[in-house]
């Protein structure tokens, strides 16, 4: 007899949903998290060490030391002073690492909580556009209609605020959002004038944030530290304060933190039977379960499968067709920054309130497109480091005067684009470099597809248009370049399809070679949409886990 009905590895957006659905269905569940349960004070408000701007570290894990990855030198721009052509060993806060948070709740602890559904076209990209040379663009084996009831469940059971009537790029909503949209800050009213002048669609950004008291927790207080930080009043809805507490309150779920799953435990015949983990004290344990659900993020889920090779699957579990780790995607975030004659900053957070989906599809000569939105509030150091105008002195009195006189008059427009998957953008393992537990680390290689860069360049021009129409007197921003994308919203490394020759999991996210192994994060995403993917991650995890409950 197994120790548990199910083990869920990872407590982020998908893992939290999986644990709750299983536990509330009466299954005995063990939820494993390599990080800690962090208090608000432990996450902190350090402007130099956070998941948004990690100059010297970050605030939601993993630990800087002992968790390296390696990176092919051609995959990411080399920092000034580093030797070209050498494999890079990266710590989690360094560019190119493609970090996900590691704590109870994972990225939902510190995310912006933008709650977008993918569009119907996002599930059939190859049918809509054809397959560009050198890409692995494909249709999902499921549709928008398949996820629709689960999108609604996320919106109501996790908690989303917004205005469903403004979502004119989607089929009409059968149910509204459970909470109205957050108040518009001053800058969004300015940008609304720009959209009106251009004749572009404008909509309210849906957020996994309480705009009113909801589910026993208070409403947003409109503070200035949302994205990259924890909520001071617990009004931001993530797995740490919704699905995981429900799983624990059921009495059927146990949560263990600071444990690292080393490999999947398999029977002599190669069937998954549980996990082998290492505790913070360095002790090894084997724990059995009837079902295992991987929710580690697209990089770490692929790494775990590859590090779990057996005699029956010598290339890694699920990797019989050499698909585990391929098609790594994230989101390019093209955009531009504008200087306005008036003060835009009013201190009302989160800030990101107005968007357009005018260009997600239907752009002549392009494959897909993306969403654009006004940005959440950025700290002064984030602006100086990321968005400072290139023709202004960066040091000395002139720099101080520019910041003092202009920081409140500046805002940026940006958004994620629909990336075109590249089969050579991938996660492998590097036995020559090991983490603090002695486990081979993830090795990242490849780049984005050139069509992604073209689409990102197009969206940058649209951001410039919007800023100028809103009244910006000066506009600047970086031209997109080709690099490996996976730091923003990593996805795609355990592709979903019914054909095992071209995928890792089936249309219920079950690993083809195993009857009882499932994936509940963004790894199965065939494409990643032109939107923040967290609502799709949660919806897909809900669908997957209901399937598990119905069949075990």
């Amino acid at each position: 007899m197994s120790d548990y009905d199910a083990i869920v590895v990872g407590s982020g957006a998908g893992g939290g949903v999986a644990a709750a659905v299983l536990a509330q269905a009466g299954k005995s569940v063990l939820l494993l998290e390599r990080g800690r349960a962090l208090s608000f004070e432990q996450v902190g408000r350090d402007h130099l060490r956070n998941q948004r701007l990690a100059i010297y570290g970050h605030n939601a894990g993993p630990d800087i030391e002992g968790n390296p990855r390696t990176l092919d030198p051609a995959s990411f721009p080399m920092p000034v002073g580093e030797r070209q052509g050498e494999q890079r060993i990266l710590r989690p806060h360094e560019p190119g690492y493609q970090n996900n948070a590691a704590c109870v709740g994972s990225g939902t602890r510190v995310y912006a909580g933008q709650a977008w559904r993918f569009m119907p076209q996002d599930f059939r990209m190859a049918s809509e556009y054809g397959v560009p040379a050198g890409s692995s663009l494909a249709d999902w084996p499921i549709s928008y209609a398949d996820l629709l009831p689960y999108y609604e469940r996320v919106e109501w059971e996790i908690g989303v605020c917004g205005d469903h009537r403004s979502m004119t790029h989607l089929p009409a909503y059968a149910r509204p959002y459970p909470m109205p949209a957050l108040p518009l800050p001053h800058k969004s009213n300015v940008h609304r004038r720009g959209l009106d002048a251009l004749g572009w669609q404008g909509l309210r950004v849906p957020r996994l944030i309480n705009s009113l008291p909801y589910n026993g927790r208070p409403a947003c207080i409109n503070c200035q530290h949302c994205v990259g930080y924890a909520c001071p009043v617990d009004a931001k809805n993530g797995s740490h304060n919704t699905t995981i507490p429900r799983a624990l309150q059921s009495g059927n779920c146990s949560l263990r933190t600071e444990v690292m799953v080393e490999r999947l435990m398999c029977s002599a015949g190669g069937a998954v039977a549980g996990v082998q983990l290492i505790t913070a004290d360095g002790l090894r344990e084997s724990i059995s379960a009837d079902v295992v659900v991987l929710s580690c993020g697209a990089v770490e889920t692929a790494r775990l499968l590859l590090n779990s090779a057996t005699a029956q699957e010598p290339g890694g579990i699920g990797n019989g067709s050499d698909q585990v780790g391929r098609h790594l995607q994230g989101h390019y975030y093209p955009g531009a920054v504008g200087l306005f004659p008036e003060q835009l900053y009013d201190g009302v957070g989160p800030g990101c309130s107005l968007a357009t989906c005018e260009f997600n599809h239907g752009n002549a000569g392009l494959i897909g497109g993306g969403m654009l939105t006004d940005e959440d509030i950025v700290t002064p150091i984030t602006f100086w480091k990321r968005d400072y105008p290139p023709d202004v002195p960066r040091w000395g009195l002139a720099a101080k005067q520019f910041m003092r006189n202009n920081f409140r008059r500046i805002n940026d427009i940006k958004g994620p684009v629909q990336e075109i998957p590249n089969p050579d953008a991938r996660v492998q393992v590097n036995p020559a470099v090991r983490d603090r537990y002695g486990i081979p680390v993830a090795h990242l290689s490849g780049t984005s597809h050139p069509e992604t860069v073209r689409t990102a360049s197009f969206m940058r021009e649209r951001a410039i248009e919007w800023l100028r129409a809103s009244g910006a007197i000066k506009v600047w921003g970086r031209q997109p370049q080709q690099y490996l994308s996976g730091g923003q919203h990593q996805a795609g490394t355990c592709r979903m399809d019914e054909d095992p020759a071209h995928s890792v999991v089936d249309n219920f996210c079950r690993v083809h070679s195993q009857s009882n192994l499932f994936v509940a994060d963004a790894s199965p995403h065939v494409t990643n949409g032109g939107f923040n993917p967290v609502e799709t991650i949660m919806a897909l995890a809900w669908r997957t886990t209901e399937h598990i409950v119905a069949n075990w």
Side-chain angles (χ1 to χ4, degrees), residues 152-321:
E152 291 181 350
R153 193 165 298 175
V154 170
E155 289 158 6
W156 280 82
E157 295 197 27
I158 307 297
V160 172
C161 71
D163 180 2
H164 70 288
R165 298 165 301 180
S166 69
M167 310 297 278
T168 54
H169 61 293
L170 290 170
Y173 279 44
R175 282 183 95 186
Y177 294 116
M179 294 173 281
L182 291 163
L184 277 178
H186 173 62
K187 69 180 179 69
S188 297
N189 284 310
V190 172
H191 290 313
R192 174 176 275 172
R193 295 200 298 266
L195 289 177
D196 291 343
L198 292 165
W200 293 357
Q201 171 224 31
L203 55 89
R204 302 301 304 276
V205 176
R207 305 289 292 246
L208 284 147
I209 295 175
N210 291 349
S211 61
L212 302 172
Y214 192 74
N215 282 338
R217 287 180 289 106
C220 172
I221 59 171
N222 306 114
C223 81
Q224 303 162 30
H225 290 78
C226 189
V227 59
Y229 302 94
C231 178
V233 297
D234 208 23
K236 186 161 55 175
N237 303 321
S239 58
H240 64 287
N241 60 4
T242 61
T243 50
I244 293 175
R246 291 172 203 169
L248 298 176
Q249 288 163 10
S250 74
N252 297 319
C253 179
S254 299
L255 169 64
R256 290 186 62 180
T257 61
E258 297 184 86
V259 292
M260 183 70 178
V261 175
E262 180 179 21
R263 60 182 292 120
L264 297 172
M265 184 172 69
C266 295
S267 68
V272 167
V275 302
Q276 296 175 359
L277 60 80
I278 306 174
T279 70
D281 298 326
L283 301 176
R284 281 180 163 80
E285 296 181 26
S286 295
I287 306 174
S288 62
D290 296 335
V291 172
V292 175
V293 180
L294 304 183
S295 307
C296 314
V299 173
E300 290 295 320
T301 287
R303 177 192 177 200
L304 178 55
L305 290 169
L306 294 170
N307 275 327
S308 299
T310 64
Q312 293 79 13
E313 297 185 88
I317 289 179
N319 199 33
S321 299

Side-chain angles (χ1 to χ4, degrees), residues 192-517:
R192 174 176 275 172
R193 295 200 298 266
L195 289 177
D196 291 343
L198 292 165
W200 293 357
Q201 171 224 31
L203 55 89
R204 302 301 304 276
V205 176
R207 305 289 292 246
L208 284 147
I209 295 175
N210 291 349
S211 61
L212 302 172
Y214 192 74
N215 282 338
R217 287 180 289 106
C220 172
I221 59 171
N222 306 114
C223 81
Q224 303 162 30
H225 290 78
C226 189
V227 59
Y229 302 94
C231 178
V233 297
D234 208 23
K236 186 161 55 175
N237 303 321
S239 58
H240 64 287
N241 60 4
T242 61
T243 50
I244 293 175
R246 291 172 203 169
L248 298 176
Q249 288 163 10
S250 74
N252 297 319
C253 179
S254 299
L255 169 64
R256 290 186 62 180
T257 61
E258 297 184 86
V259 292
M260 183 70 178
V261 175
E262 180 179 21
R263 60 182 292 120
L264 297 172
M265 184 172 69
C266 295
S267 68
V272 167
V275 302
Q276 296 175 359
L277 60 80
I278 306 174
T279 70
D281 298 326
L283 301 176
R284 281 180 163 80
E285 296 181 26
S286 295
I287 306 174
S288 62
D290 296 335
V291 172
V292 175
V293 180
L294 304 183
S295 307
C296 314
V299 173
E300 290 295 320
T301 287
R303 177 192 177 200
L304 178 55
L305 290 169
L306 294 170
N307 275 327
S308 299
T310 64
Q312 293 79 13
E313 297 185 88
I317 289 179
N319 199 33
S321 299
D322 191 30
Q323 291 296 299
V324 172
R326 289 190 181 274
H327 323 291
L328 175 64
Q329 301 157 63
H331 273 137
Y332 272 54
Y333 257 77
V337 188
L339 175 65
F340 287 77
E342 62 187 290
Q343 179 172 315
L344 296 189
Y345 179 84
D346 60 2
V348 175
C352 176
S353 304
L354 188 68
T356 184
C357 296
E358 189 81 15
F359 303 103
N360 279 76
H361 292 282
N363 304 304
L366 292 175
I367 299 174
M371 174 267 293
L372 290 172
T373 182
D374 56 344
E375 175 72 314
D376 272 318
I377 291 176
V378 299
T379 63
I381 186 61
T382 299
F383 166 74
W384 182 86
K385 185 75 173 176
R386 189 185 70 188
D387 295 333
Y388 198 76
D391 59 344
V392 175
R394 297 190 66 86
W395 303 97
L397 181 60
K400 293 179 181 179
Q401 289 176 333
F402 179 86
M403 289 291 292
R404 184 178 299 115
N405 296 334
N406 297 299
F407 176 73
R408 293 175 177 84
R409 299 168 53 213
I410 287 169
N411 191 234
D412 55 339
I413 297 290
K414 63 177 58 175
V417 303
Q418 175 89 255
E419 293 195 3
I420 307 306
N422 178 357
D424 297 324
R426 66 187 303 189
V427 178
Q428 296 168 289
V429 292
N430 187 346
V433 180
R434 296 176 181 256
D435 65 13
R436 66 171 65 182
Y437 305 100
I439 305 170
V441 304
H443 176 70
L444 307 171
S445 60
T447 65
S448 61
H449 191 274
E451 290 295 331
T452 298
V453 183
R454 284 211 313 133
T455 302
S457 299
F458 172 83
M459 294 306 300
R460 173 180 176 269
E461 292 302 317
R462 304 292 75 73
I464 290 171
E465 265 190 275
W466 185 1
L467 285 164
R468 287 178 172 155
S470 297
I473 56 177
K474 179 179 179 178
V475 177
W476 63 93
R478 297 185 183 92
Q479 182 68 34
Q481 304 295 321
Q482 193 170 20
Y483 60 90
L484 180 65
S485 174
Q488 288 274 17
H489 310 150
Q490 59 184 238
T493 57
C494 296
R495 172 173 284 202
M496 178 198 304
D497 193 74
E498 284 302 286
D499 184 356
H502 301 102
S503 62
V504 178
V505 302
D506 67 14
N507 65 1
F508 282 102
C509 298
R510 179 187 62 83
V511 174
H512 288 299
S513 62
Q514 300 285 336
S515 64
N516 63 339
L517 177 62

